[in-house]
Amino acid sequence: MDKIVMKTPLVEMDGDEMTRILWQYIKDELLLPFIDLKTEYYDLGLVCRNETKDQVTVDSANATMKYGVAVKCATITPNAARVKEYDLDEMWKSPNGTIRAMLDGTVFRAPIQVKGINPCVKNWVKPITLARHAYGDVYKNTEMKIPGPGKAELVFTDENGVEHRELIHQFTAPGIIQGMHNTDKSISSFARCCFTYAIDTKQSIWFATKDTISKKYDHTFKDIFQEIFDAEFKEKFDELGIEYFYTLIDDAVARVMKAKGGFIWACKNYDGDVMSDMVSSACGSLAMMTSVLVSPSGVYEYEAAHGTVQRHYYKHLNGEETSTNSVATIFAWTGALRKRGELDEIPELVKFADALEKATLGTIESGRMTKDLALITDLENVTVLNSLDFIKEIRKDLEALL
Ligand code: NAP
Ligand code: MG
């Protein structure tokens, strides 16, 4: 069989720990034998980020804007322990945070549903797609430890040098403060991304914030969504019989637990971070979820929603067998390859992405799976595979399909 030829390179962002190991297995077993893979490679592993003073992350985001489609491996966001472990010059920022701040846009995450793995929330018969705002709030914050008594204020100096002040707190003892921001432009593009995605997928969309408490910050999100919906999307929604529904975040959480699924749940940046982990783990495993960042300029970055699976990596380093689920990382690749195929009009690449997804799901449905899924499946006669053997089984099914 001839290998599929690509036109434009994919931006490939390599990562850390166990997912870096899976990354190579996936390329060797599932991609390189079938595709003349064209990528522009950026090593976002922590060692290289440290050596380049994190310039590699910025370069990879710029390349994504240039080419339009990227695929990203999970990466370590350093904390104090990682600074020690990797002897870092600095506690580098989250690569996802840096990339999202540059690309702007919205992260859409949906569970990968497969026969034999049922959500533990019994009434979720259809997937819930999470739309996470990918810019600002606590991910672009400024924080301060307050050493003792004093006055903390919020100060905005306008272009004419006029200061506007609000008291945060009159401290009488040590404490902490935090400043965050967002922009009307980013919130507007978040709203448009969500409404457009709802129309594309013919699903209703829910949005929730805490506007009763945050009367300016969160209320602005609510107002912008409503204005854009009424002015640009309402008619189309009515035509399709789908709805836009706003409520308070705590009400949304309560309703989601009782819902049937089949809708998009739009969340502010932090809510989306936390709630997508809840939805995905309720659907089986963090590794059974797709994640794509869609920027307002039409740029796509595909990734897995889970982390670098550190515990498994240390086992791997000790020579112990691991059974790490590679499905989310495989789907990051298929999402990116399919999008590249659509943009460059390479139908074979689109077909290949479809076949690889089908082979992956088929492998699980036939009872061959990793340990995380074996623990929760209601299939009988299950074979638990190690990380590499699972990928090799997918390859067998893929070869049969192609
Ligand atoms: P994690 O890598 O998501 O793993 C947490 C636990 O979830 C694992 O120990 C494992 O449970 C289970 N798990 C996650 N993915 C799995 C998979 N593919 N297959 C099987 N089990 C899986 O989160 P973490 O350990 O808290 O974070 C590790 C590193 O990842 C951190 O340095 C963090 O900064 C980074 N991180 C990166 C991203 C990203 O790049 N998108 C996102 C989140 C976290 P068991 O050990 O019980 O098997
Ligand atoms: Mg998270």
Side-chain angles (χ1 to χ4, degrees):
M1 197 186 83
D2 286 341
K3 287 192 188 181
I4 299 166
V5 177
M6 293 176 64
K7 290 179 191 160
T8 316
L10 272 180
V11 177
E12 176 184 353
M13 303 171 175
D14 208 343
D16 288 300
E17 300 196 309
M18 199 60 210
T19 41
R20 189 181 180 98
I21 308 285
L22 297 180
W23 196 258
Q24 200 57 50
Y25 289 166
I26 291 169
K27 283 176 70 177
D28 290 345
E29 294 289 332
L30 302 176
L31 304 176
L32 294 171
F34 310 99
I35 305 172
D36 194 2
L37 194 66
K38 223 177 176 178
T39 72
E40 194 163 292
Y41 180 85
Y42 292 88
D43 186 357
L44 266 51
L46 193 47
V47 174
C48 179
R49 272 184 279 149
N50 192 52
E51 279 168 3
T52 62
K53 304 213 169 304
D54 211 22
Q55 185 60 37
V56 65
T57 308
V58 173
D59 292 346
S60 73
N62 280 324
T64 306
M65 288 191 259
K66 176 177 167 193
Y67 293 113
V69 186
V71 55
K72 181 180 172 292
C73 181
T75 46
I76 293 170
T77 298
N79 53 16
R82 298 298 200 165
V83 171
K84 226 171 142 189
E85 182 184 356
Y86 284 83
D87 190 20
L88 301 179
D89 300 336
E90 253 180 64
M91 200 186 288
W92 305 109
K93 295 215 161 184
S94 150
N96 288 324
T98 302
I99 294 165
R100 286 171 196 159
M102 287 177 69
L103 301 183
D104 198 349
T106 305
V107 179
F108 293 94
R109 288 182 173 170
I112 300 166
Q113 289 191 322
V114 42
K115 282 189 213 98
I117 314 278
N118 295 311
C120 36
V121 182
K122 296 274 179 292
N123 42 286
W124 288 357
V125 290
K126 289 181 182 168
I128 295 173
T129 302
L130 249 125
R132 171 180 172 189
H133 188 206
Y135 177 83
D137 300 352
V138 74
Y139 301 85
K140 265 278 175 200
N141 71 355
T142 307
E143 303 181 319
M144 216 186 261
K145 272 185 176 260
I146 303 298
K151 183 163 69 170
E153 286 179 300
L154 217 47
V155 183
F156 169 70
T157 313
D158 70 23
E159 283 176 328
N160 304 316
V162 180
E163 286 186 357
H164 307 255
R165 287 169 181 269
E166 291 280 348
L167 178 72
I168 297 172
H169 189 64
Q170 186 73 51
F171 282 91
T172 55
I176 40 181
I177 58 170
Q178 179 183 64
M180 0 181 247
H181 80 283
N182 225 297
T183 65
D184 287 6
K185 181 167 173 261
S186 178
I187 299 167
S188 303
S189 69
F190 171 40
R192 288 195 180 92
C193 274
C194 288
F195 293 136
T196 305
Y197 197 80
I199 290 171
D200 283 351
T201 58
K202 296 189 184 54
Q203 297 183 93
S204 290
I205 181 152
W206 301 13
F207 181 46
T209 71
K210 194 71 180 174
D211 64 288
T212 47
I213 300 297
S214 171
K215 292 189 194 311
K216 289 186 182 145
Y217 201 103
D218 279 17
H219 215 289
T220 299
F221 278 82
K222 179 184 176 180
D223 290 344
I224 289 178
F225 263 68
Q226 197 63 51
E227 277 158 31
I228 289 179
F229 179 71
D230 291 341
E232 302 171 27
F233 293 94
K234 186 167 185 324
E235 241 171 77
K236 189 75 193 168
F237 268 57
D238 289 345
E239 231 171 77
L240 291 172
I242 56 176
E243 64 166 350
Y244 167 56
F245 163 70
Y246 178 87
T247 185
L248 275 175
I249 185 70
D250 29 1
D251 181 47
V253 170
R255 283 172 187 254
V256 161
M257 296 313 286
K258 304 247 167 181
K260 286 204 166 71
F263 57 90
I264 300 163
W265 182 11
C267 289
K268 286 177 62 197
N269 209 345
Y270 175 80
D271 297 340
D273 183 354
V274 177
M275 291 304 162
S276 64
D277 282 3
M278 184 191 76
V279 172
S280 64
S281 64
C283 288
S285 162
L286 284 176
M288 297 301 284
M289 176 161 262
T290 61
S291 181
V292 56
L293 171 70
V294 183
S295 90
S297 58
V299 162
Y300 296 79
E301 186 230 305
Y302 294 83
E303 55 167 12
H306 59 76
T308 59
V309 212
Q310 183 181 16
R311 270 206 297 256
H312 295 208
Y313 181 59
Y314 287 149
K315 275 190 174 176
H316 173 83
L317 288 183
N318 270 334
E320 287 172 53
E321 193 166 76
T322 60
S323 180
T324 314
N325 187 334
S326 46
V327 172
T329 308
I330 294 171
F331 273 63
W333 276 102
T334 53
L337 290 167
R338 181 182 296 109
K339 182 54 74 179
R340 200 64 273 168
E342 285 166 5
L343 293 174
D344 291 347
E345 295 175 10
I346 312 172
E348 312 86 78
L349 201 55
V350 176
K351 264 194 224 152
F352 174 82
D354 292 344
L356 179 49
E357 288 182 2
K358 199 171 165 199
T360 305
L361 300 181
T363 302
I364 299 169
E365 286 173 355
S366 73
R368 294 162 291 162
M369 60 188 77
T370 46
K371 189 174 150 204
D372 55 327
L373 298 182
L375 287 170
I376 53 169
T377 184
D378 46 25
L379 292 175
E380 280 160 27
N381 300 322
V382 167
T383 312
V384 180
L385 298 166
N386 67 34
S387 306
L388 181 56
D389 284 348
F390 176 60
I391 290 170
K392 284 187 168 166
E393 287 299 310
I394 296 172
R395 177 172 178 173
K396 280 188 207 158
D397 287 27
L398 176 63
E399 278 170 346
L401 279 175
L402 290 173

